[in-house]
Amino acid sequence: MTAAPLPPVAPEVTATLVEDLSPRLRKRLDAAVTKLGSRPTHRDGDTVTIAVDDDTELRLHAPGGVVATVDAITCGCLLAPACVHRAAAASAAPAADPAPEPAAEPAAESAPDAAPDPAAQPAAPTVPDSTPPPNSTPSLGDTTPPTAPALATAPPSTPVTVPAPDEATPAQREAAAALWSAGAAVLEAGVAGAGAVAQAALLRAAHTARLRQLPRGASAALSVVTLLRAARAGDPSYRTADLVTALAELLGTAHRVGTASGAELAAVRGRARRPYSPDGSLRLYGLFTEPVVTDSGHGGARTWVVTADGRLCTVGDVAPGGVGRALGVADRIVRLGDTALTHRELGRAGLAVSGATVSPDGRLGAGKGVKAVTARGAAWTEPPLAALWETPPAEQAARALRSVSRYAEPGGGGSDLLFLDIELLGAVGESGGTCLLARCDGGVPVRLAVADDDPALAHRDNLMLLATAPGTRLRIIGRLVPAPHPRLTLLACSHPTGESTVDLGFDRLSRADLPNPGAPVHSAPDRPGGPGAESPLHLLERRVEQTVPAGRAALGMLGDVTAEARRLRRAGLPTAAGLLTALRASAARRERDLFGRLLPADTDGFAAHWLAATRYTASVAESLCAAAWEPGPAVPTHGPTEATAPRPAGSPR
């Protein structure tokens, strides 16, 4: 038999199967998941069969590609249907995304892409009750999680009504409390202890949240499950920082449901699908085309266009296929109306569109009512494109930070692109490789990194070739990389000869294109300058990340943090020092009863301290990034950070 991937399983199916197991079988569930992962599988139509042993088979029936009911998983062992195999199979399979809402307008992309990582985004997700300017550090506010006495007791089957826009319903508060509890339990146990049972609790909470109109919380819970499974399976693409972000998004969203109101509550609830709204007739001017290659194996192209009034929009085509598909799609016809332009041609031409639909993040819909014909484009030095380069770099960076923030409000709009006029200085060595050093208007040094290292794409070769032409002036487009020094991934540039433009992922430059080929390569020290370059913020970030793999108890045993707190205070980060001290104390605290027996740990209190520290470090890092783009002398670390940072409620000074 040939190996076949398991079909996605609906979250409520996995949760139900795990909940129905006896306590004895739950203890054996993780071992059963591991065992099933090594057994042969094969697919026959909509059914995937797993050979449990020589005499027993387990079947997952997935009509439409998803296992949607408990009865769709059957086992031939003597203990079925009360065996551990069905729950193990569901726990080993990917968690299915919730069913999409049919009312949403289909996007031009045939699958979700992952810009700006490209990993969204997803994505991504401003602590936690407002959207502050990037040079301020917002407060967590009241970090007390939702508590059971304040919650309604309606069962999950209670009919759901759409709540008033200015307050959460009791059922939504109850669902948020379940999300908080499931997330706090993962933080308590760490990756090592968050097995199939803990994941099932997250899946149940996600399912309930979706039913009660909390799609943002449901999506965050599913992201945590996916990352936990990747971590436990040793997936090489897994990063602890991703799980930190997902857990903080889950806990922060769950907490805010009970405190937010009005427009903020609408953002906390989220949307199940990206809404597309009519935008009438649009005159579009091509800007550039970039390849899209995601960790999930999708590939394609995204073309950026600008409307007559200066808005950025995208037309994309992304589907399973990886880098090979990305290279092929660039020369395919754009799926928008009746145009005959390819993606690469549209990046330098124009379109006149009628019946246009646009999502909040600028994606153009490709519905049947959309009509498009080819029109004249514009050079980067002509309106309306030239206006993109007129905004000062610091203002562009602040705008981009609001878009790429780790906890940005979904659907908040905005672009992570920067448009700069630069002078090339040459290559600069870094611990992770080599990047291109440049100076933008205002004298700010900028590091230009490769957008994608895949050798099939032209990014790396083009960047290294440009590094041999110091003194060359270019007009560039790059994607902001949040860092304590100005940094972009380079996407497109004006041609070094001044003619046309270059899509750096697809077009390949040659030495003949350079005005001074063969010039010596510039070298620079590996340590970037600017505000935050010497910031000891990593001392708190390290403790936040250490919690996730091994859980609260491991952090409590790491020893005294007095020296680290003292160093943070000397650097002008007293809030960070207080959060570190409180986090370590909360991790180590265990109360005893009158007989000296240990009481259960305060998981909610520890989760609140961890969430405050996580959101704080993200906000300070973004503040340092914004300050680095300001022209002039370096800003002290404690200037734009601690001076404007309200302290989370209850945190020590």
Side-chain angles (χ1 to χ4, degrees):
M1 289 184 290
T2 59
L6 299 181
V9 178
E12 64 271 21
V13 171
T14 304
T16 299
L17 288 171
V18 174
E19 290 164 357
D20 288 345
L21 291 177
S22 66
R24 179 180 63 86
L25 290 180
R26 288 189 187 187
K27 295 178 181 179
R28 297 172 49 191
L29 181 56
D30 288 332
V33 171
T34 302
K35 180 179 178 181
L36 281 185
S38 64
R39 299 300 299 169
T41 63
H42 76 275
R43 178 182 293 275
D44 182 9
D46 291 332
T47 301
V48 174
T49 301
I50 305 174
V52 178
D53 54 39
D54 293 339
D55 302 317
T56 305
E57 289 186 337
L58 187 149
R59 292 182 173 85
L60 294 86
H61 184 54
V66 175
V67 178
T69 64
V70 172
D71 294 338
I73 302 180
T74 59
C75 182
C77 75
L78 296 177
L79 296 178
C83 61
V84 72
H85 302 133
R86 298 169 70 221
S91 300
D97 291 329
E101 294 179 355
E105 165 75 12
E109 280 95 343
S110 56
D113 56 82
D117 287 2
Q121 326 302 279
T126 62
V127 178
D129 298 329
S130 62
T131 305
N135 64 341
S136 67
T137 307
S139 167
L140 180 63
D142 179 12
T143 57
T144 304
T147 53
L151 303 175
T153 57
S157 59
T158 300
V160 176
T161 58
V162 178
D166 58 345
E167 63 179 6
T169 65
Q172 287 181 327
R173 293 172 185 267
E174 182 183 32
L179 289 171
W180 174 278
S181 296
V186 170
L187 199 60
E188 171 73 16
V191 170
V197 174
Q199 294 166 25
L202 280 167
L203 294 173
R204 172 61 70 196
H207 176 61
T208 302
R210 182 173 63 87
L211 292 179
R212 296 180 179 177
Q213 310 300 314
L214 297 175
R216 180 175 176 181
S219 177
L222 291 179
S223 296
V224 172
V225 171
T226 300
L227 289 167
L228 282 173
R229 291 177 175 177
R232 292 173 64 86
D235 188 331
S237 66
Y238 165 77
R239 296 190 313 137
T240 299
D242 293 337
L243 184 52
V244 169
T245 300
L247 267 173
E249 168 70 7
L250 172 62
L251 293 170
T253 300
H255 167 68
R256 293 173 65 193
V257 168
T259 61
S261 60
E264 182 192 354
L265 179 58
V268 172
R269 287 173 178 150
R271 294 180 181 272
R273 283 290 299 269
R274 186 186 307 110
Y276 282 75
S277 57
D279 209 340
S281 298
L282 294 177
R283 180 67 167 87
L284 304 176
Y285 298 86
L287 193 58
F288 76 102
T289 300
E290 64 171 322
V292 176
V293 182
T294 72
D295 292 337
S296 61
H298 289 73
R302 180 193 299 108
T303 298
W304 290 80
V305 295
V306 179
T307 64
D309 58 0
R311 288 181 295 154
L312 288 170
C313 297
T314 59
V315 182
D317 184 351
V318 183
V323 68
R325 187 178 189 279
L327 293 171
V329 165
D331 294 313
R332 291 185 186 177
I333 301 298
V334 173
R335 296 187 298 171
L336 191 68
D338 299 323
T339 177
L341 293 174
T342 66
H343 278 274
R344 295 174 73 173
E345 291 171 342
L346 175 58
R348 297 174 175 87
L351 283 179
V353 182
S354 62
T357 58
V358 185
S359 72
D361 60 359
R363 302 193 192 202
L364 291 166
K368 295 181 180 179
V370 178
K371 307 296 181 183
V373 295
T374 303
R376 177 186 175 277
W380 285 6
T381 54
E382 300 174 348
L385 303 187
L388 297 171
W389 279 265
E390 294 175 0
T391 304
E395 292 184 25
Q396 294 191 51
R399 180 212 64 221
L401 268 173
R402 291 192 291 271
S403 174
V404 303
S405 169
R406 291 169 62 182
Y407 307 107
E409 300 293 354
S415 167
D416 56 355
L417 300 183
L418 268 69
F419 305 86
L420 304 177
D421 290 306
I422 63 165
E423 178 186 354
L424 299 181
L425 300 179
V428 56
E430 296 183 319
S431 57
T434 303
C435 68
L436 178 59
L437 189 65
R439 182 186 295 110
C440 68
D441 289 348
V444 177
V446 181
R447 296 192 175 205
L448 306 175
V450 175
D452 194 312
D453 254 327
D454 195 301
L457 300 174
H459 289 296
R460 169 63 64 181
D461 292 342
N462 284 333
L463 185 139
M464 297 311 299
L465 190 62
L466 290 172
T468 65
T472 303
R473 292 195 61 83
L474 296 174
R475 177 159 279 193
I476 67 167
I477 301 174
R479 177 166 286 122
L480 179 71
V481 178
H485 56 277
R487 189 178 187 87
L488 302 175
T489 54
L490 191 57
L491 302 175
C493 69
S494 58
H495 197 281
T497 62
E499 300 177 1
S500 187
T501 59
V502 182
D503 296 333
L504 291 168
F506 292 121
D507 304 328
R508 291 188 180 272
L509 293 169
S510 67
R511 289 194 174 274
D513 295 319
L514 302 181
N516 185 24
V521 176
H522 177 82
S523 61
D526 191 24
R527 175 180 295 176
E534 301 296 331
S535 170
L537 185 65
H538 67 275
L539 297 174
L540 179 57
E541 291 175 325
R542 181 179 62 184
R543 298 304 188 188
V544 164
E545 288 201 3
Q546 284 175 335
T547 306
V548 172
R552 177 197 58 78
L555 182 61
M557 294 186 294
L558 286 177
D560 186 51
V561 294
T562 302
E564 296 174 1
R566 186 182 303 114
R567 182 178 170 188
L568 287 166
R569 288 192 176 90
R570 284 201 304 266
L573 297 168
T575 302
L579 288 170
L580 176 60
T581 302
L583 181 65
R584 166 64 176 77
S586 179
R589 184 181 300 119
R590 289 295 301 271
E591 303 293 340
R592 295 180 180 271
D593 62 16
L594 295 176
F595 300 98
R597 296 171 299 192
L598 283 174
L599 296 173
D602 181 12
T603 57
D604 286 344
F606 176 72
H609 282 95
W610 182 87
L611 177 60
T614 305
R615 291 299 187 94
Y616 171 87
T617 56
S619 291
V620 173
E622 291 166 12
S623 173
L624 294 172
C625 177
W629 283 90
E630 294 289 346
V635 182
T637 298
H638 60 274
T641 307
E642 288 287 326
T644 58
R647 291 174 173 78
S651 64
R653 300 182 71 87

